[in-house]
Structure formats: structure tokens, C-alpha cells
Amino acid sequence: MTHTGLVARVLIDSPLPQLDHLFDYAVPDELAAVALPGVRVKVPFGSSGRVMSGYLIDLVPPDATGSDGEALFHGALSPLESVVSPARVLTGEVWTLARALADRAAGNASDIIRLAVPPRRVRVEKAWLAQAADAADAAGTAAPTCDSAPAVTVPAVTVPAFADYPPGAVAALVADGRRAAVAAVPEPVQLPGGETVGQWALTLAELGVAALAAGRSAILAVPDYRDQDQLQAALEQLAPAGSVRRVDARQSDPDRYRDFLACLDPVPRIIIGNRSAVYAPAHELGLIALWDDGDPLYAEPLSPYVHARDAALVRQQQSGCALVFLGHARSVEVERLVEIGWFDAVAPARSRHPRVIPTELQAGADARGARIPSAAWGAARDALQHGPVLVQVASPGYAPVLACTTCRHSARCTRCQGPLGLASAGATPACRWCGALAAGWHCPLCEGTTYRLVTVGSGRTAEELGRAFPGVRVIVADGDHIVQHVGASPALVIATRGAEPLAPGGYRAVLLLDGERLLARESLRVGEDCLRWWSNAAALAAPGASVMLIGVGGLLARSLSLWQPERYSASELADRRSLRFPPAVRAASVTGTAPAVETALAGLAGIAGVDVLGPVGADRETVRAIVRLPYSAGDEVAIALKAAIVRAATGRRPAKGGGYRPPPTLKVRFDDPELL
DNA sequence: AGCACGCCGACT
DNA sequence: GTCGGCGTGCTC
């Protein structure tokens, strides 16, 4: 068998950390025509020559230094076994992104690629290849790959006006490839087709169309399918037919693969989807835009747990495209980016916003503990004359936390500010991070010395309100009862946060209940989350309608009623700076057997600015430590921890004797939003 | 992960 | 004298 002179650099598709680098193979002559970067390949691997699949990353002369800086293998090369198909599904841009994100998270590139490249569907792929070949013939070229000529012609597109924003402000973001936090207009709008969507959906769609008008592709990401439906409705009005492609897990596998392949066509497209849309291949990427980046659905649950916001930030730096985070609230992460000057802040030109009334600030408040004050009852009663009223309630099922009996603030560790918990009823409270016992705890805010367990169970609101307003239709919208839209006629719409339906023209009043209970959740981010839930619900109100925020005061209530959520975010960020909490610094959890964690932490010893909380026992066999690091130490820490992971995976293995022990090795998770 | 290479106990 | 145990290390 003769070989072309070239070396194929291959990423093996394996979750093993020790295989997370390129392996070099010779290219047999008969594969030369199809063995091009981006194709799926099969390669012989290991002493047994077992066939594994992978991606051909690079094709280089044998005397080259690898484009990734990795030296070529000095030794006899095995030949590629086969090329799975000529479809070049892993573009250079997506590979570079996957590599960078994996490195940043001490994870595996193939784990990122699994999010970026959907499972292959042979039938769909053949159809796409044939269509690409036809297009190539028509254009007089021959290559049946993504290098071929456009298969679709893009209709002329007019540049959107972005009428809600200062002239030129938003259009310039896309044109100049800038990064910006854009405040959405907090109103519902009715599309010409009759459907009601949030104004944000129109703005996002306009951003995509602006990129298209400049001959560039746009990636528009939304957290959930309800948001995606609004965005799609808006795009149907604004975007030329055929220019929009979905990339999301709700599609059937063939549909998903078809749309994915279409993104490889050399034509600009608007690509929409949920968190993994940020990995989509895109021709001439001009814009990535995320709606509501603070939504926890943007946190990837699969290793290496890269948040879509971070993926978008890294991709923006690599490609130089524009990057927009659009939202009502501003996440503390984005606030940091604005404060360090990495992001611009853009607000709507006119400052019309929902009329938020914090009832706690009203004189003559009702007896303490009343769930719904009389002012809110009154507002609801009046509004029900004219149309639907939204009542936002807490969803059931929170972890119990310790809170001060008198001032109700959650109890935190005096050493490291971690949350306190009880190992068992009546036990001394202990910090869940550093393990310190909090004997003799006292509340730093009110000096109270007693705490209680705060648990929340909601759910009777519908009955309660139904009794109070006899004859009014009650609609429940939550995780189990998904309601996208309600009508314009009077109704009480009881919704858990995030599940609020849209009402044509907007709700005539909005009641935000259970604020105090929501705020008792065990998380550093509660305030931020609440502000996001509340502002998103308030944005569903009709212009001028009352939004009653019940039982919540302070900066949170003030930020919402002034509609300046960035005030709260700024104050929150300042607090996190003084406590050395994310996103002021980065954090990584290191979990595993005590010796494995110890060795991993030892590898961080010399790195400036790094400190370690714990380790504390996580369960019977494993311990967990939390590493805090400045952003500047990210590379160094990730490299050290990745080395520790590889060592743990290849070195001493758990005793095989008996065989009843799953591998308790070493796990690292960077930037876990749930960590604090 | 698999699989081979390698160095110590009880077996024909 | 060997057959085979699984600890260790590699896979282009």
C-alpha cells in the first residue's frame, strides 16, 4: 500500500483524558481525495489495532510542526483505516473553539465536539452531499464538500432600523463586530401575524437580519423552547424565507443533522437554538447573540460543563464577530464585563418601563406575614375588569436552608461565607464548603442567635385566589401545565417563575408573590435570579399596568421599580469582589479520592492568587475542594488540573479485586454556577 | 478503555 | 522448571 506524503492528525473520539490529543496517521493513496480536514475517520488504535472513530483535524507535511504547536509523532505511522464520509463536519473554526474551551475547563475536546456535531444520519448526509455536488457542478467546480459553491441564493435584505434604540447604536454593534450588553425593551408586542411576543424577540431577530444584510451569519441562542418559539415567530416576519436554520435537541435526529449540515453551506444564515447553538458551524460568522444569559439553562450539564456564555465569549475572541447579550436583567457576569470595559452597555432610547410597585414600601402595610397585601388585592380586582392578571409564584421543592429567625437572612459561614447546613436534625450547623462548625453562630446583620430551617412548599395559590375571586377563570401555568399564550379576556394566570404565558397586549396587572421565600433559597445568586424572574414577568405587563412586588424591599426592589437592574448587579459584583466570589474570581471544584485531590491541589501550589477551600468530605469515599483563582491564572490552573486528571486516570487504578468498585478518581469542574 | 508487557506464587 | 496473577504504561 502506498501513502501520500502527508500526515493526518486525528482526534480520537473518546472521553478518556489521556487520549485528548492528536494522533498522527499516514494517508493511503486511495483515501487521498477524501481525507481532508473535518471529515470523520476510522483509525486503528492501540496494540490490538482496534478501530476507533475520530475526526481528521489537520493534514500536514511530515516535516511540519503541528498547527497546534504539538510536535508530530516521531515513529512509524499507522495508516488511516477509512474515511467515513467526505462531509467535512468539523470546521477548523469549531475545532479551534472546542480545543480552547476544553483547555480552559480542564476537559476533553471530544466532549465539546459531541455538543457541536450531531450524530451522523447517513441518509440525510447523502442527500446533502448530492445537493452540494449539484451546486458545485452548476458553479463549474467539482469538490462535493463544504467548499463548494452556494446552493442557496440569499434574497436581498433590508437593514433593520432598531427604532427602539439610539440611532445607529445597535446596528453599529453588528457592523463593527463589537461586544455589548443590550437592555431589552420590556413590553410585549403583537406581530402582524397576530401572535404576541416579547419585544426582545423582535430585537434579537433584527440583530440576526442585520448580520444577514451584511452578508454574514448570525447565531441567536435562547435558553428554552418557549423563548425559541417567540424568536421563530419574530423571524418569520423579518427574515427571508430559507435563511433560518434551527440547531436544537428538540428536533428529530434527521432534522437536526439536516439543519446542521445546512449551516455548513457557504451561504450566510441565521442559526437559532438553545445553549449548544453557540457551537454551530457558520459561514462568515458575524454575530453571536444570547437572550437572557443569566438563565440557568445556559449552563451545560455535560462535562466539561462549559457555560454557553463562556463559549460565546471565547468564540467571539477567536472569530472577531459581534457579541450581544440581550436581557432585561443584567447578570453579574455581564456586569463585570461591562465594568472592565470588555463590553459596551446599550439601553433603549426611551425609558418607558413597567410600573413596579414594591408593596413593602407602602405605608400601612398589612399584618406581617400576609401573603397578599390589600393593595395587591385591589390592583388585581381592578385589573380583572379589563383583562388577564398574572400571578407569579415560587415553584415547589427547594433545599432547606438555615436562616436567621429574626431577620430571615440565610446563615453563612463566618470563615468563608459558605452556606451552612445541618448534617442531621439537632446537629451543630457546619459550612458546606470548608467544613467549619458554626457553633455559637450569630447573625451578622441583626445579631440574632437563633436560626431555623426554611423550606418552601407553594402550590395552593390557585385555590386561594380562586376562592377570593369567584367566577374568574383561573389558569395554572407551570412545569406540568405548559401554557404559551392566554387570551385577552379576564383571567387569573397563576404561573411559576419562568413559565409565564404571554397575553395579547400584555397583562393588566402582575403580582409577584413569594419574593421572601424565593430569596431564602440557598444560593449566592438568589437576588440576581429573582431580579431576572421578576423583570421578565414585569415585561409581560401592558404599558402602564401595575406590577406589584410583594414583601421585598431594599436595593432589589429599588432596582426593579426604577428599572435599573444594573444597579443591583453592580452592588452584587462589589460584594462578590470583597468576598472573593465568582464572578469576581473564577472557581473550580476538585472532587475525588483524598489522595487524588491532594495531589491535584499540590500541583497548584506555586500559582499566584490561587486559594483553596477544603477539602471536605463529599461522601463516604470522596472529598471535595474548591479552588478560587484570578482570571489571569485560568490557563495555568487548568493545565495543572488537567495533568492531575490524566495522572489519576493512568496511574494507580482502583483495586480491581472483587470488581464492585466504580472508578473513584478525580473530577474537576470549573465555573459551576451552582457552586456558590 | 483495552491490551500487552512484566515480574512473583502454587502447579504438573 | 512454567502458567498466570494483575500492577503499570501505552496507544500515532
Side-chain angles (χ1 to χ4, degrees):
Chain A
M1 190 197 306
T2 56
H3 298 145
T4 71
L6 296 176
V7 176
R9 319 212 66 204
V10 172
L11 182 83
I12 307 284
D13 187 10
S14 157
L16 296 175
Q18 61 270 42
L19 303 186
D20 183 31
H21 63 91
L22 301 183
F23 289 84
D24 297 346
Y25 289 87
V27 181
D29 282 338
E30 62 271 26
L31 297 181
V34 282
L36 295 169
V39 298
R40 290 185 232 252
V41 291
K42 302 273 190 195
V43 293
F45 194 73
S47 41
S48 58
R50 196 161 55 100
V51 172
M52 310 239 333
S53 46
Y55 293 91
L56 202 165
I57 299 299
D58 212 354
L59 202 57
V60 296
D63 53 357
T65 62
S67 60
D68 55 350
E70 220 180 299
L72 291 185
F73 185 65
H74 294 294
L77 301 186
S78 300
L80 293 176
E81 222 265 341
S82 61
V83 170
V84 174
S85 104
R88 297 168 67 177
V89 290
L90 182 61
T91 65
E93 194 185 339
V94 173
W95 158 248
T96 312
L97 178 66
R99 185 67 275 163
L101 290 173
D103 289 346
R104 197 176 173 280
N108 252 317
S110 60
D111 285 337
I112 305 272
I113 291 171
R114 243 187 294 282
L115 303 173
V117 180
R120 176 165 182 252
R121 296 286 112 152
V122 178
R123 190 168 264 186
V124 170
E125 190 176 88
K126 285 196 168 138
W128 178 75
L129 286 166
Q131 157 262 301
D134 288 352
D137 285 348
T141 55
T145 68
C146 62
D147 287 336
S148 55
V152 182
T153 45
V154 179
V157 180
T158 22
V159 186
F162 296 103
D164 296 310
Y165 292 89
V170 177
L173 298 175
V174 181
D176 303 344
R178 312 269 295 277
R179 300 172 288 259
V182 177
V185 175
E187 280 172 13
V189 288
Q190 197 150 13
L191 298 174
E195 192 168 342
T196 299
V197 300
Q199 177 73 52
W200 66 264
L202 274 180
T203 304
L204 199 62
E206 285 179 343
L207 282 162
V209 172
L212 210 58
R216 316 287 296 271
S217 288
I219 291 173
L220 309 178
V222 292
D224 67 30
Y225 298 119
R226 302 172 64 248
D227 295 323
Q228 187 171 317
D229 289 341
Q230 293 185 60
L231 176 59
Q232 272 181 269
L235 282 167
E236 268 163 38
Q237 303 295 322
L238 298 177
S243 61
V244 178
R245 287 291 181 278
R246 283 169 56 188
V247 185
D248 68 73
R250 188 171 49 166
Q251 295 168 286
S252 71
D253 281 351
D255 283 350
R256 184 158 163 241
Y257 197 51
R258 187 176 300 114
D259 276 348
F260 165 80
L261 291 173
C263 295
L264 291 165
D265 290 336
V267 283
R269 289 241 160 78
I270 297 175
I271 299 161
I272 66 172
N274 45 24
R275 59 176 173 260
S276 38
V278 295
Y279 299 110
H283 176 72
E284 293 279 322
L285 183 61
L287 166 77
I288 302 172
L290 267 68
W291 158 245
D292 205 19
D293 70 282
D295 192 303
L297 287 172
Y298 281 120
E300 175 58 56
L302 297 175
S303 173
Y305 315 107
V306 176
H307 196 285
R309 184 201 296 119
D310 292 333
L313 282 160
V314 170
R315 190 164 186 181
Q316 189 281 326
Q317 283 178 77
Q318 294 184 341
S319 78
C321 66
L323 177 56
V324 170
F325 293 146
L326 178 71
H328 293 129
R330 182 182 291 173
S331 67
V332 180
E333 285 80 5
V334 169
E335 174 63 22
R336 173 181 162 270
L337 295 169
V338 171
E339 288 189 21
I340 65 173
W342 190 248
F343 265 58
D344 296 331
V346 176
R350 57 201 173 115
S351 56
R352 209 162 82 197
H353 61 76
R355 198 157 60 87
V356 179
I357 303 157
T359 61
E360 189 178 271
L361 305 184
Q362 289 185 321
D366 303 73
R368 188 186 173 83
R371 188 162 178 228
I372 305 178
S374 59
W377 282 117
R381 183 170 296 116
D382 294 347
L384 278 170
Q385 309 288 316
H386 305 105
V389 169
L390 175 66
V391 181
Q392 188 196 56
V393 298
S395 68
Y398 309 124
V401 299
L402 291 184
C404 171
T405 314
T406 36
C407 76
R408 300 181 183 200
H409 277 88
S410 61
R412 307 198 78 90
C413 174
T414 46
R415 240 178 58 189
C416 74
Q417 293 297 311
L420 297 184
L422 292 179
S424 62
T428 305
C431 175
R432 300 227 171 125
W433 294 354
C434 70
L437 291 177
W441 174 87
H442 69 273
C443 175
L445 288 150
C446 72
E447 299 299 319
T449 54
T450 54
Y451 50 80
R452 64 186 172 128
L453 273 178
V454 181
T455 343
V456 181
S458 74
R460 257 176 255 115
T461 314
E463 298 166 30
E464 204 178 306
L465 289 171
R467 269 196 306 267
F469 295 101
V472 175
R473 197 154 68 101
V474 176
I475 299 168
V476 175
D478 58 27
D480 295 332
H481 314 83
I482 293 160
V483 184
Q484 269 276 41
H485 296 275
V486 298
S489 53
L492 274 164
V493 181
I494 319 288
T496 54
R497 73 277 185 296
E500 301 88 354
L502 287 139
Y507 289 97
R508 301 309 185 270
V510 175
L511 269 57
L512 303 170
L513 300 189
D514 298 338
E516 194 196 24
R517 294 185 193 178
L518 288 173
L519 285 168
R521 291 199 331 158
E522 175 196 327
S523 158
L524 243 206
R525 310 170 51 96
V526 269
E528 197 190 336
D529 285 341
C530 285
L531 199 51
R532 208 168 47 74
W533 295 327
W534 295 334
S535 53
N536 286 348
L540 303 176
S546 298
V547 176
M548 314 296 285
L549 174 62
I550 288 139
V552 177
L555 182 58
L556 210 44
R558 224 170 325 127
S559 303
L560 190 68
S561 60
L562 295 170
W563 206 259
Q564 291 174 350
E566 63 279 6
R567 280 181 157 220
Y568 180 80
S569 311
S571 137
E572 191 65 24
L573 179 59
D575 288 353
R576 309 247 185 117
R577 282 213 180 93
S578 63
L579 296 169
R580 242 179 99 73
F581 277 179
V585 296
R586 291 181 69 195
S589 63
V590 181
T591 314
T593 57
V597 170
E598 199 186 323
T599 343
L601 296 176
L604 306 176
I607 307 176
V610 172
D611 73 338
V612 176
L613 302 168
V616 299
D619 56 54
R620 198 98 187 109
E621 295 181 337
T622 62
V623 298
R624 184 178 81 158
I626 293 171
V627 178
R628 297 194 288 192
L629 56 140
Y631 285 79
S632 57
D635 287 353
E636 215 179 336
V637 170
I639 288 167
L641 290 178
K642 179 65 178 289
I645 290 170
V646 172
R647 245 181 291 125
T650 55
R652 321 240 166 298
R653 259 168 277 191
K656 266 196 208 168
Y660 64 99
R661 192 171 298 191
T665 52
L666 188 66
K667 271 173 57 182
V668 170
R669 179 163 182 176
F670 272 86
D671 306 315
D672 179 359
E674 299 294 304
L675 191 57
L676 302 176

